Amino acid sequence: MVAVVDWAVIVASLAYAAWALVAVVRNRPPREPYVVGAGVVELLILIQAVVAVVLMIADGTPEETATFIGYLLMNLIIVPLGLFWALAEKSRWGTSVLVVAALVVPVLVVRMQQLWDAGAA
Amino acid sequence: MSGTPQRSSGPGRLLIAVYAVFALAASARAGVQIATKFDEAPVAYLLSAFAALVYIVATVAFARPGAAARGVALAAVTVELLGVLTVGTVTAFDPGDFPDDTVWSLYGRGYGFVPLVLPVLGLLWLRRTWSADRGVSESP
């Protein structure tokens, strides 16, 4: 995969998780800035997914293609689902859902990188 | 005013979110394993599917109100705890029976031991919220 795009997703999701965590500690419910932030993270994830699909078509598929695509799909839905679930809870616990959702993203990206590199070797 | 918190609100919101992540992850993993390489380790893959089912049931049961859902949640979380303890112990001593990983292998080490902690938190949360449904249904 393209390292720059991967790292952008990882850094953005970790920063978002940290930002939401501050709100959890300060006992804040999920507010509009967090929706916008989630949108930014999701946009980067979308770009990464498109890049991955293009590369798969151009250069061939990675190791364990089905698993790779599974991670890719889960990465696409996790932030929107987390946001949906978080916004209904008007307390710090709603914001904490955003932290969890955002932390799943870098894990998935690293797993995708591992499968991709295994396929390239 | 305060009373017993509802199962799906407050900390329950976070608990259900984590359960949902595991329901998704375990389902996807089991689906891929069974679809692409079932012959390699059928027992492990069937167990993956079973774990996925337990997580799905627990997620839904925690999210729904009512005493029936509460009972289902208790059953699911109990099975989950027994599952992670049994599979964790078996894989720790004799990994031969499970040539490929499941969510519960080695007490969920591959998932940061969250599968081991989650059922305990689930049981604690159920105890904390146990009378919430009664409060709703029997309030005058």
PDB file of all heavy atoms in Angstrom, chain A residues 64 66-67 70 74 77-78 81 84-86 88-89 91 93-94 96-97 100 104, chain B residues 8-14 16-18 20-22 24-25 28 32 36-37 63:
ATOM      1  N   GLU A  64      -3.727 -13.439   1.596  1.00  0.00           N
ATOM      2  CA  GLU A  64      -5.050 -13.580   2.214  1.00  0.00           C
ATOM      3  C   GLU A  64      -5.993 -12.470   1.787  1.00  0.00           C
ATOM      4  O   GLU A  64      -6.456 -11.656   2.590  1.00  0.00           O
ATOM      5  CB  GLU A  64      -4.922 -13.608   3.740  1.00  0.00           C
ATOM      6  CG  GLU A  64      -4.100 -14.777   4.242  1.00  0.00           C
ATOM      7  CD  GLU A  64      -4.070 -14.834   5.768  1.00  0.00           C
ATOM      8  OE1 GLU A  64      -5.159 -14.718   6.366  1.00  0.00           O
ATOM      9  OE2 GLU A  64      -2.985 -14.990   6.337  1.00  0.00           O
ATOM     10  N   ALA A  66      -9.094 -12.245   0.954  1.00  0.00           N
ATOM     11  CA  ALA A  66     -10.415 -12.122   1.579  1.00  0.00           C
ATOM     12  C   ALA A  66     -10.311 -11.410   2.925  1.00  0.00           C
ATOM     13  O   ALA A  66     -11.125 -10.545   3.248  1.00  0.00           O
ATOM     14  CB  ALA A  66     -11.039 -13.502   1.755  1.00  0.00           C
ATOM     15  N   THR A  67      -9.295 -11.785   3.709  1.00  0.00           N
ATOM     16  CA  THR A  67      -9.094 -11.136   5.013  1.00  0.00           C
ATOM     17  C   THR A  67      -8.791  -9.657   4.822  1.00  0.00           C
ATOM     18  O   THR A  67      -9.323  -8.799   5.527  1.00  0.00           O
ATOM     19  CB  THR A  67      -7.920 -11.803   5.760  1.00  0.00           C
ATOM     20  OG1 THR A  67      -8.146 -13.207   5.778  1.00  0.00           O
ATOM     21  CG2 THR A  67      -7.808 -11.289   7.166  1.00  0.00           C
ATOM     22  N   GLY A  70     -11.814  -7.862   4.053  1.00  0.00           N
ATOM     23  CA  GLY A  70     -12.611  -7.779   5.285  1.00  0.00           C
ATOM     24  C   GLY A  70     -12.179  -6.611   6.153  1.00  0.00           C
ATOM     25  O   GLY A  70     -13.009  -5.832   6.637  1.00  0.00           O
ATOM     26  N   MET A  74     -14.366  -3.276   7.081  1.00  0.00           N
ATOM     27  CA  MET A  74     -14.614  -2.929   8.476  1.00  0.00           C
ATOM     28  C   MET A  74     -14.091  -1.525   8.768  1.00  0.00           C
ATOM     29  O   MET A  74     -14.725  -0.758   9.485  1.00  0.00           O
ATOM     30  CB  MET A  74     -13.934  -3.950   9.392  1.00  0.00           C
ATOM     31  CG  MET A  74     -14.241  -3.705  10.857  1.00  0.00           C
ATOM     32  SD  MET A  74     -14.187  -5.182  11.848  1.00  0.00           S
ATOM     33  CE  MET A  74     -14.255  -4.470  13.493  1.00  0.00           C
ATOM     34  N   ILE A  77     -16.616   1.110   7.731  1.00  0.00           N
ATOM     35  CA  ILE A  77     -17.884   1.285   8.454  1.00  0.00           C
ATOM     36  C   ILE A  77     -17.705   1.649   9.925  1.00  0.00           C
ATOM     37  O   ILE A  77     -18.615   2.160  10.548  1.00  0.00           O
ATOM     38  CB  ILE A  77     -18.770   0.019   8.360  1.00  0.00           C
ATOM     39  CG1 ILE A  77     -18.064  -1.179   8.980  1.00  0.00           C
ATOM     40  CG2 ILE A  77     -19.175  -0.258   6.929  1.00  0.00           C
ATOM     41  CD1 ILE A  77     -18.970  -2.388   9.128  1.00  0.00           C
ATOM     42  N   ILE A  78     -16.508   1.426  10.486  1.00  0.00           N
ATOM     43  CA  ILE A  78     -16.364   1.528  11.938  1.00  0.00           C
ATOM     44  C   ILE A  78     -16.603   2.948  12.471  1.00  0.00           C
ATOM     45  O   ILE A  78     -17.289   3.126  13.481  1.00  0.00           O
ATOM     46  CB  ILE A  78     -14.978   0.971  12.403  1.00  0.00           C
ATOM     47  CG1 ILE A  78     -14.954   0.829  13.915  1.00  0.00           C
ATOM     48  CG2 ILE A  78     -13.821   1.837  11.944  1.00  0.00           C
ATOM     49  CD1 ILE A  78     -15.611  -0.403  14.420  1.00  0.00           C
ATOM     50  N   LEU A  81     -20.401   3.983  12.109  1.00  0.00           N
ATOM     51  CA  LEU A  81     -21.184   3.234  13.095  1.00  0.00           C
ATOM     52  C   LEU A  81     -20.945   3.772  14.499  1.00  0.00           C
ATOM     53  O   LEU A  81     -21.879   3.949  15.278  1.00  0.00           O
ATOM     54  CB  LEU A  81     -20.813   1.745  13.050  1.00  0.00           C
ATOM     55  CG  LEU A  81     -21.495   0.882  11.992  1.00  0.00           C
ATOM     56  CD1 LEU A  81     -21.020  -0.567  12.118  1.00  0.00           C
ATOM     57  CD2 LEU A  81     -23.003   0.946  12.132  1.00  0.00           C
ATOM     58  N   PHE A  84     -22.728   7.082  14.935  1.00  0.00           N
ATOM     59  CA  PHE A  84     -24.164   6.841  15.066  1.00  0.00           C
ATOM     60  C   PHE A  84     -24.506   6.397  16.489  1.00  0.00           C
ATOM     61  O   PHE A  84     -25.452   6.887  17.101  1.00  0.00           O
ATOM     62  CB  PHE A  84     -24.573   5.765  14.049  1.00  0.00           C
ATOM     63  CG  PHE A  84     -25.956   5.227  14.251  1.00  0.00           C
ATOM     64  CD1 PHE A  84     -27.066   5.961  13.852  1.00  0.00           C
ATOM     65  CD2 PHE A  84     -26.149   3.988  14.830  1.00  0.00           C
ATOM     66  CE1 PHE A  84     -28.343   5.460  14.038  1.00  0.00           C
ATOM     67  CE2 PHE A  84     -27.427   3.479  15.024  1.00  0.00           C
ATOM     68  CZ  PHE A  84     -28.523   4.223  14.626  1.00  0.00           C
ATOM     69  N   TRP A  85     -23.719   5.474  17.010  1.00  0.00           N
ATOM     70  CA  TRP A  85     -23.960   4.937  18.349  1.00  0.00           C
ATOM     71  C   TRP A  85     -23.623   5.969  19.437  1.00  0.00           C
ATOM     72  O   TRP A  85     -24.263   6.031  20.473  1.00  0.00           O
ATOM     73  CB  TRP A  85     -23.135   3.662  18.529  1.00  0.00           C
ATOM     74  CG  TRP A  85     -23.464   2.881  19.762  1.00  0.00           C
ATOM     75  CD1 TRP A  85     -22.633   2.607  20.796  1.00  0.00           C
ATOM     76  CD2 TRP A  85     -24.712   2.257  20.087  1.00  0.00           C
ATOM     77  NE1 TRP A  85     -23.288   1.862  21.745  1.00  0.00           N
ATOM     78  CE2 TRP A  85     -24.562   1.636  21.344  1.00  0.00           C
ATOM     79  CE3 TRP A  85     -25.958   2.186  19.448  1.00  0.00           C
ATOM     80  CZ2 TRP A  85     -25.590   0.936  21.964  1.00  0.00           C
ATOM     81  CZ3 TRP A  85     -26.981   1.485  20.074  1.00  0.00           C
ATOM     82  CH2 TRP A  85     -26.786   0.874  21.309  1.00  0.00           C
ATOM     83  N   ALA A  86     -22.603   6.797  19.162  1.00  0.00           N
ATOM     84  CA  ALA A  86     -22.141   7.770  20.158  1.00  0.00           C
ATOM     85  C   ALA A  86     -23.129   8.927  20.322  1.00  0.00           C
ATOM     86  O   ALA A  86     -23.394   9.374  21.434  1.00  0.00           O
ATOM     87  CB  ALA A  86     -20.771   8.311  19.763  1.00  0.00           C
ATOM     88  N   ALA A  88     -26.264   9.226  20.183  1.00  0.00           N
ATOM     89  CA  ALA A  88     -27.511   9.003  20.916  1.00  0.00           C
ATOM     90  C   ALA A  88     -27.308   9.089  22.423  1.00  0.00           C
ATOM     91  O   ALA A  88     -28.268   9.130  23.180  1.00  0.00           O
ATOM     92  CB  ALA A  88     -28.100   7.652  20.531  1.00  0.00           C
ATOM     93  N   GLU A  89     -26.052   9.097  22.854  1.00  0.00           N
ATOM     94  CA  GLU A  89     -25.762   9.125  24.292  1.00  0.00           C
ATOM     95  C   GLU A  89     -25.180  10.486  24.657  1.00  0.00           C
ATOM     96  O   GLU A  89     -24.046  10.811  24.302  1.00  0.00           O
ATOM     97  CB  GLU A  89     -24.781   7.999  24.632  1.00  0.00           C
ATOM     98  CG  GLU A  89     -24.201   8.054  26.028  1.00  0.00           C
ATOM     99  CD  GLU A  89     -25.173   7.594  27.105  1.00  0.00           C
ATOM    100  OE1 GLU A  89     -26.067   6.799  26.797  1.00  0.00           O
ATOM    101  OE2 GLU A  89     -25.032   8.050  28.247  1.00  0.00           O
ATOM    102  N   SER A  91     -23.664  11.968  27.002  1.00  0.00           N
ATOM    103  CA  SER A  91     -22.795  12.017  28.175  1.00  0.00           C
ATOM    104  C   SER A  91     -21.382  11.670  27.725  1.00  0.00           C
ATOM    105  O   SER A  91     -21.142  11.426  26.552  1.00  0.00           O
ATOM    106  CB  SER A  91     -23.264  11.025  29.243  1.00  0.00           C
ATOM    107  OG  SER A  91     -22.913   9.703  28.873  1.00  0.00           O
ATOM    108  N   TRP A  93     -19.956   9.049  28.075  1.00  0.00           N
ATOM    109  CA  TRP A  93     -19.902   7.673  27.557  1.00  0.00           C
ATOM    110  C   TRP A  93     -20.148   7.637  26.059  1.00  0.00           C
ATOM    111  O   TRP A  93     -19.676   6.735  25.374  1.00  0.00           O
ATOM    112  CB  TRP A  93     -20.882   6.786  28.311  1.00  0.00           C
ATOM    113  CG  TRP A  93     -20.528   6.722  29.763  1.00  0.00           C
ATOM    114  CD1 TRP A  93     -21.175   7.338  30.795  1.00  0.00           C
ATOM    115  CD2 TRP A  93     -19.406   6.039  30.341  1.00  0.00           C
ATOM    116  NE1 TRP A  93     -20.531   7.081  31.971  1.00  0.00           N
ATOM    117  CE2 TRP A  93     -19.453   6.284  31.723  1.00  0.00           C
ATOM    118  CE3 TRP A  93     -18.387   5.251  29.808  1.00  0.00           C
ATOM    119  CZ2 TRP A  93     -18.497   5.773  32.598  1.00  0.00           C
ATOM    120  CZ3 TRP A  93     -17.439   4.734  30.679  1.00  0.00           C
ATOM    121  CH2 TRP A  93     -17.492   5.002  32.050  1.00  0.00           C
ATOM    122  N   GLY A  94     -20.904   8.618  25.568  1.00  0.00           N
ATOM    123  CA  GLY A  94     -21.067   8.721  24.124  1.00  0.00           C
ATOM    124  C   GLY A  94     -19.736   9.031  23.463  1.00  0.00           C
ATOM    125  O   GLY A  94     -19.349   8.421  22.464  1.00  0.00           O
ATOM    126  N   SER A  96     -16.875   8.386  24.633  1.00  0.00           N
ATOM    127  CA  SER A  96     -15.943   7.258  24.789  1.00  0.00           C
ATOM    128  C   SER A  96     -16.110   6.242  23.662  1.00  0.00           C
ATOM    129  O   SER A  96     -15.157   5.558  23.287  1.00  0.00           O
ATOM    130  CB  SER A  96     -16.147   6.582  26.153  1.00  0.00           C
ATOM    131  OG  SER A  96     -17.358   5.850  26.169  1.00  0.00           O
ATOM    132  N   VAL A  97     -17.321   6.154  23.107  1.00  0.00           N
ATOM    133  CA  VAL A  97     -17.540   5.262  21.958  1.00  0.00           C
ATOM    134  C   VAL A  97     -16.692   5.726  20.771  1.00  0.00           C
ATOM    135  O   VAL A  97     -16.136   4.912  20.026  1.00  0.00           O
ATOM    136  CB  VAL A  97     -19.038   5.220  21.582  1.00  0.00           C
ATOM    137  CG1 VAL A  97     -19.248   4.480  20.267  1.00  0.00           C
ATOM    138  CG2 VAL A  97     -19.850   4.575  22.699  1.00  0.00           C
ATOM    139  N   VAL A 100     -13.147   4.477  21.150  1.00  0.00           N
ATOM    140  CA  VAL A 100     -13.003   3.062  20.776  1.00  0.00           C
ATOM    141  C   VAL A 100     -13.016   2.894  19.260  1.00  0.00           C
ATOM    142  O   VAL A 100     -12.149   2.235  18.682  1.00  0.00           O
ATOM    143  CB  VAL A 100     -14.115   2.209  21.427  1.00  0.00           C
ATOM    144  CG1 VAL A 100     -14.130   0.806  20.852  1.00  0.00           C
ATOM    145  CG2 VAL A 100     -13.921   2.155  22.936  1.00  0.00           C
ATOM    146  N   VAL A 104      -9.854   1.469  16.730  1.00  0.00           N
ATOM    147  CA  VAL A 104      -9.906   0.260  15.903  1.00  0.00           C
ATOM    148  C   VAL A 104      -9.220   0.512  14.551  1.00  0.00           C
ATOM    149  O   VAL A 104      -8.580  -0.376  13.985  1.00  0.00           O
ATOM    150  CB  VAL A 104     -11.369  -0.198  15.695  1.00  0.00           C
ATOM    151  CG1 VAL A 104     -11.442  -1.361  14.709  1.00  0.00           C
ATOM    152  CG2 VAL A 104     -11.997  -0.600  17.026  1.00  0.00           C
TER     153      VAL A 104
ATOM    154  N   SER B   8     -28.427   0.036  28.318  1.00  0.00           N
ATOM    155  CA  SER B   8     -27.793   0.553  27.101  1.00  0.00           C
ATOM    156  C   SER B   8     -27.359   2.003  27.217  1.00  0.00           C
ATOM    157  O   SER B   8     -26.984   2.617  26.231  1.00  0.00           O
ATOM    158  CB  SER B   8     -28.753   0.403  25.921  1.00  0.00           C
ATOM    159  OG  SER B   8     -29.905   1.173  26.160  1.00  0.00           O
ATOM    160  N   SER B   9     -27.429   2.575  28.416  1.00  0.00           N
ATOM    161  CA  SER B   9     -26.999   3.961  28.540  1.00  0.00           C
ATOM    162  C   SER B   9     -25.787   4.064  29.453  1.00  0.00           C
ATOM    163  O   SER B   9     -25.415   3.106  30.114  1.00  0.00           O
ATOM    164  CB  SER B   9     -28.147   4.822  29.072  1.00  0.00           C
ATOM    165  OG  SER B   9     -28.462   4.430  30.385  1.00  0.00           O
ATOM    166  N   GLY B  10     -25.196   5.235  29.491  1.00  0.00           N
ATOM    167  CA  GLY B  10     -24.015   5.433  30.327  1.00  0.00           C
ATOM    168  C   GLY B  10     -22.892   4.494  29.907  1.00  0.00           C
ATOM    169  O   GLY B  10     -22.659   4.308  28.709  1.00  0.00           O
ATOM    170  N   PRO B  11     -22.212   3.885  30.880  1.00  0.00           N
ATOM    171  CA  PRO B  11     -21.115   2.972  30.552  1.00  0.00           C
ATOM    172  C   PRO B  11     -21.561   1.833  29.639  1.00  0.00           C
ATOM    173  O   PRO B  11     -20.774   1.295  28.867  1.00  0.00           O
ATOM    174  CB  PRO B  11     -20.687   2.419  31.917  1.00  0.00           C
ATOM    175  CG  PRO B  11     -21.165   3.412  32.915  1.00  0.00           C
ATOM    176  CD  PRO B  11     -22.397   4.043  32.334  1.00  0.00           C
ATOM    177  N   GLY B  12     -22.858   1.493  29.717  1.00  0.00           N
ATOM    178  CA  GLY B  12     -23.387   0.431  28.860  1.00  0.00           C
ATOM    179  C   GLY B  12     -23.214   0.753  27.390  1.00  0.00           C
ATOM    180  O   GLY B  12     -23.039  -0.128  26.551  1.00  0.00           O
ATOM    181  N   ARG B  13     -23.271   2.046  27.067  1.00  0.00           N
ATOM    182  CA  ARG B  13     -23.082   2.492  25.685  1.00  0.00           C
ATOM    183  C   ARG B  13     -21.706   2.052  25.177  1.00  0.00           C
ATOM    184  O   ARG B  13     -21.564   1.551  24.075  1.00  0.00           O
ATOM    185  CB  ARG B  13     -23.177   4.019  25.653  1.00  0.00           C
ATOM    186  CG  ARG B  13     -23.596   4.580  24.346  1.00  0.00           C
ATOM    187  CD  ARG B  13     -25.078   4.462  24.182  1.00  0.00           C
ATOM    188  NE  ARG B  13     -25.455   4.829  22.825  1.00  0.00           N
ATOM    189  CZ  ARG B  13     -26.645   4.577  22.307  1.00  0.00           C
ATOM    190  NH1 ARG B  13     -27.564   3.983  23.011  1.00  0.00           N
ATOM    191  NH2 ARG B  13     -26.915   4.914  21.069  1.00  0.00           N
ATOM    192  N   LEU B  14     -20.709   2.274  26.021  1.00  0.00           N
ATOM    193  CA  LEU B  14     -19.336   1.906  25.660  1.00  0.00           C
ATOM    194  C   LEU B  14     -19.195   0.387  25.585  1.00  0.00           C
ATOM    195  O   LEU B  14     -18.594  -0.156  24.649  1.00  0.00           O
ATOM    196  CB  LEU B  14     -18.366   2.477  26.698  1.00  0.00           C
ATOM    197  CG  LEU B  14     -16.890   2.123  26.536  1.00  0.00           C
ATOM    198  CD1 LEU B  14     -16.356   2.620  25.210  1.00  0.00           C
ATOM    199  CD2 LEU B  14     -16.080   2.741  27.677  1.00  0.00           C
ATOM    200  N   ILE B  16     -21.453  -1.872  24.945  1.00  0.00           N
ATOM    201  CA  ILE B  16     -22.111  -2.395  23.743  1.00  0.00           C
ATOM    202  C   ILE B  16     -21.266  -2.106  22.504  1.00  0.00           C
ATOM    203  O   ILE B  16     -21.150  -2.935  21.606  1.00  0.00           O
ATOM    204  CB  ILE B  16     -23.522  -1.803  23.601  1.00  0.00           C
ATOM    205  CG1 ILE B  16     -24.420  -2.330  24.728  1.00  0.00           C
ATOM    206  CG2 ILE B  16     -24.133  -2.158  22.246  1.00  0.00           C
ATOM    207  CD1 ILE B  16     -25.716  -1.570  24.889  1.00  0.00           C
ATOM    208  N   ALA B  17     -20.629  -0.926  22.484  1.00  0.00           N
ATOM    209  CA  ALA B  17     -19.774  -0.582  21.342  1.00  0.00           C
ATOM    210  C   ALA B  17     -18.626  -1.578  21.206  1.00  0.00           C
ATOM    211  O   ALA B  17     -18.311  -2.047  20.108  1.00  0.00           O
ATOM    212  CB  ALA B  17     -19.234   0.838  21.499  1.00  0.00           C
ATOM    213  N   VAL B  18     -18.005  -1.922  22.338  1.00  0.00           N
ATOM    214  CA  VAL B  18     -16.898  -2.872  22.294  1.00  0.00           C
ATOM    215  C   VAL B  18     -17.409  -4.256  21.874  1.00  0.00           C
ATOM    216  O   VAL B  18     -16.782  -4.948  21.072  1.00  0.00           O
ATOM    217  CB  VAL B  18     -16.167  -2.945  23.652  1.00  0.00           C
ATOM    218  CG1 VAL B  18     -15.045  -3.963  23.605  1.00  0.00           C
ATOM    219  CG2 VAL B  18     -15.614  -1.575  24.033  1.00  0.00           C
ATOM    220  N   ALA B  20     -19.932  -4.811  19.982  1.00  0.00           N
ATOM    221  CA  ALA B  20     -20.241  -4.737  18.558  1.00  0.00           C
ATOM    222  C   ALA B  20     -18.975  -4.881  17.717  1.00  0.00           C
ATOM    223  O   ALA B  20     -18.982  -5.552  16.678  1.00  0.00           O
ATOM    224  CB  ALA B  20     -20.936  -3.410  18.243  1.00  0.00           C
ATOM    225  N   VAL B  21     -17.882  -4.270  18.180  1.00  0.00           N
ATOM    226  CA  VAL B  21     -16.608  -4.395  17.462  1.00  0.00           C
ATOM    227  C   VAL B  21     -16.199  -5.866  17.398  1.00  0.00           C
ATOM    228  O   VAL B  21     -15.799  -6.376  16.346  1.00  0.00           O
ATOM    229  CB  VAL B  21     -15.498  -3.562  18.144  1.00  0.00           C
ATOM    230  CG1 VAL B  21     -14.128  -3.938  17.588  1.00  0.00           C
ATOM    231  CG2 VAL B  21     -15.755  -2.073  17.953  1.00  0.00           C
ATOM    232  N   PHE B  22     -16.353  -6.575  18.526  1.00  0.00           N
ATOM    233  CA  PHE B  22     -15.981  -7.982  18.537  1.00  0.00           C
ATOM    234  C   PHE B  22     -16.940  -8.841  17.723  1.00  0.00           C
ATOM    235  O   PHE B  22     -16.524  -9.800  17.086  1.00  0.00           O
ATOM    236  CB  PHE B  22     -15.852  -8.493  19.974  1.00  0.00           C
ATOM    237  CG  PHE B  22     -14.486  -8.245  20.519  1.00  0.00           C
ATOM    238  CD1 PHE B  22     -14.181  -7.037  21.117  1.00  0.00           C
ATOM    239  CD2 PHE B  22     -13.489  -9.188  20.363  1.00  0.00           C
ATOM    240  CE1 PHE B  22     -12.904  -6.778  21.563  1.00  0.00           C
ATOM    241  CE2 PHE B  22     -12.208  -8.942  20.806  1.00  0.00           C
ATOM    242  CZ  PHE B  22     -11.914  -7.726  21.420  1.00  0.00           C
ATOM    243  N   LEU B  24     -18.451  -7.858  15.030  1.00  0.00           N
ATOM    244  CA  LEU B  24     -18.045  -7.614  13.645  1.00  0.00           C
ATOM    245  C   LEU B  24     -16.756  -8.353  13.306  1.00  0.00           C
ATOM    246  O   LEU B  24     -16.670  -9.064  12.303  1.00  0.00           O
ATOM    247  CB  LEU B  24     -17.827  -6.118  13.431  1.00  0.00           C
ATOM    248  CG  LEU B  24     -18.991  -5.281  12.901  1.00  0.00           C
ATOM    249  CD1 LEU B  24     -18.610  -3.812  12.922  1.00  0.00           C
ATOM    250  CD2 LEU B  24     -19.319  -5.723  11.480  1.00  0.00           C
ATOM    251  N   ALA B  25     -15.763  -8.171  14.174  1.00  0.00           N
ATOM    252  CA  ALA B  25     -14.439  -8.746  13.899  1.00  0.00           C
ATOM    253  C   ALA B  25     -14.512 -10.274  13.855  1.00  0.00           C
ATOM    254  O   ALA B  25     -13.982 -10.911  12.942  1.00  0.00           O
ATOM    255  CB  ALA B  25     -13.440  -8.290  14.960  1.00  0.00           C
ATOM    256  N   ALA B  28     -16.500 -11.502  10.730  1.00  0.00           N
ATOM    257  CA  ALA B  28     -15.721 -11.366   9.502  1.00  0.00           C
ATOM    258  C   ALA B  28     -14.632 -12.435   9.450  1.00  0.00           C
ATOM    259  O   ALA B  28     -14.433 -13.094   8.430  1.00  0.00           O
ATOM    260  CB  ALA B  28     -15.102  -9.973   9.427  1.00  0.00           C
ATOM    261  N   VAL B  32     -14.479 -15.484   6.681  1.00  0.00           N
ATOM    262  CA  VAL B  32     -13.339 -15.663   5.780  1.00  0.00           C
ATOM    263  C   VAL B  32     -12.733 -17.059   5.961  1.00  0.00           C
ATOM    264  O   VAL B  32     -12.459 -17.769   4.990  1.00  0.00           O
ATOM    265  CB  VAL B  32     -12.266 -14.580   6.035  1.00  0.00           C
ATOM    266  CG1 VAL B  32     -10.958 -14.936   5.350  1.00  0.00           C
ATOM    267  CG2 VAL B  32     -12.765 -13.231   5.556  1.00  0.00           C
ATOM    268  N   THR B  36     -12.828 -19.741   2.921  1.00  0.00           N
ATOM    269  CA  THR B  36     -11.613 -19.914   2.123  1.00  0.00           C
ATOM    270  C   THR B  36     -10.747 -21.105   2.503  1.00  0.00           C
ATOM    271  O   THR B  36     -10.005 -21.616   1.684  1.00  0.00           O
ATOM    272  CB  THR B  36     -10.726 -18.647   2.182  1.00  0.00           C
ATOM    273  OG1 THR B  36     -10.313 -18.437   3.536  1.00  0.00           O
ATOM    274  CG2 THR B  36     -11.481 -17.430   1.680  1.00  0.00           C
ATOM    275  N   LYS B  37     -10.812 -21.557   3.769  1.00  0.00           N
ATOM    276  CA  LYS B  37      -9.878 -22.625   4.157  1.00  0.00           C
ATOM    277  C   LYS B  37     -10.446 -23.514   5.260  1.00  0.00           C
ATOM    278  O   LYS B  37      -9.742 -23.866   6.208  1.00  0.00           O
ATOM    279  CB  LYS B  37      -8.540 -22.021   4.577  1.00  0.00           C
ATOM    280  CG  LYS B  37      -8.664 -20.859   5.545  1.00  0.00           C
ATOM    281  CD  LYS B  37      -7.297 -20.273   5.906  1.00  0.00           C
ATOM    282  CE  LYS B  37      -7.492 -19.154   6.913  1.00  0.00           C
ATOM    283  NZ  LYS B  37      -6.227 -18.542   7.337  1.00  0.00           N
ATOM    284  N   ALA B  63     -28.243  -4.250  24.186  1.00  0.00           N
ATOM    285  CA  ALA B  63     -28.808  -3.028  23.623  1.00  0.00           C
ATOM    286  C   ALA B  63     -30.319  -2.954  23.801  1.00  0.00           C
ATOM    287  O   ALA B  63     -30.900  -1.873  23.795  1.00  0.00           O
ATOM    288  CB  ALA B  63     -28.449  -2.919  22.140  1.00  0.00           C
TER     289      ALA B  63
END
